[in-house]
Amino acid sequence: ELATEDGTIVYSTCSMNPIENEAVVASVLKAFAGTLELVDVSSELPLLKRSPGLLKWQVRDKRDETVWWSTYDEVPDRLRQVVTPSMFAPANAADLHLERCVRVYPHQQN
């Protein structure tokens, strides 16, 4: 329903937060396992300066900006209804080819 066979789906945000970017892409790939793939588009728009998608990231505690978690196992039980496993980089991030996500930063375009 999302696209025709061999169709293209583009997901774009104005956020730099991997929870809104790579984590969402990873969740979609997981939900549609085997029916979607993240393709390399580095040859498209060759003059657009870009960075690869992230394969790992940390999640910050919204209540305490000094606290960061690398894995869901580090999240205290009392926060597990707010902080979910899908916010973290999946163990198979490399297999999902999350590096194929395109990160475009304004300062790269100068």
Side-chain angles (χ1 to χ4, degrees), residues 12-23 52-54 56-58 102-108:
S12 175
T13 73
C14 60
S15 174
M16 293 186 194
N17 187 340
I19 295 170
E20 297 178 45
N21 297 319
E22 288 88 348
L54 303 177
K56 60 183 179 176
W57 56 87
Q58 294 182 314
V102 175
R103 291 185 145 260
V104 179
Y105 300 110
H107 68 278
Q108 291 176 319

Side-chain angles (χ1 to χ4, degrees), residues 10-11 13 22 25 27 36 38 48 58 61 89 98:
V10 176
Y11 173 71
T13 73
E22 288 88 348
V25 171
S27 292
L36 295 176
L38 195 53
L48 180 66
Q58 294 182 314
D61 183 343
L98 292 183

Side-chain angles (χ1 to χ4, degrees), residues 27-42:
S27 292
V28 169
L29 291 172
K30 179 181 177 183
F32 293 92
T35 61
L36 295 176
E37 72 174 302
L38 195 53
V39 297
D40 182 359
V41 295
S42 59

Side-chain angles (χ1 to χ4, degrees), residues 70-87:
S70 296
T71 67
Y72 184 70
D73 292 338
E74 298 171 2
V75 178
D77 289 341
R78 62 182 167 70
L79 296 176
R80 289 193 173 195
Q81 289 187 350
V82 177
V83 180
T84 63
S86 65
M87 296 171 132

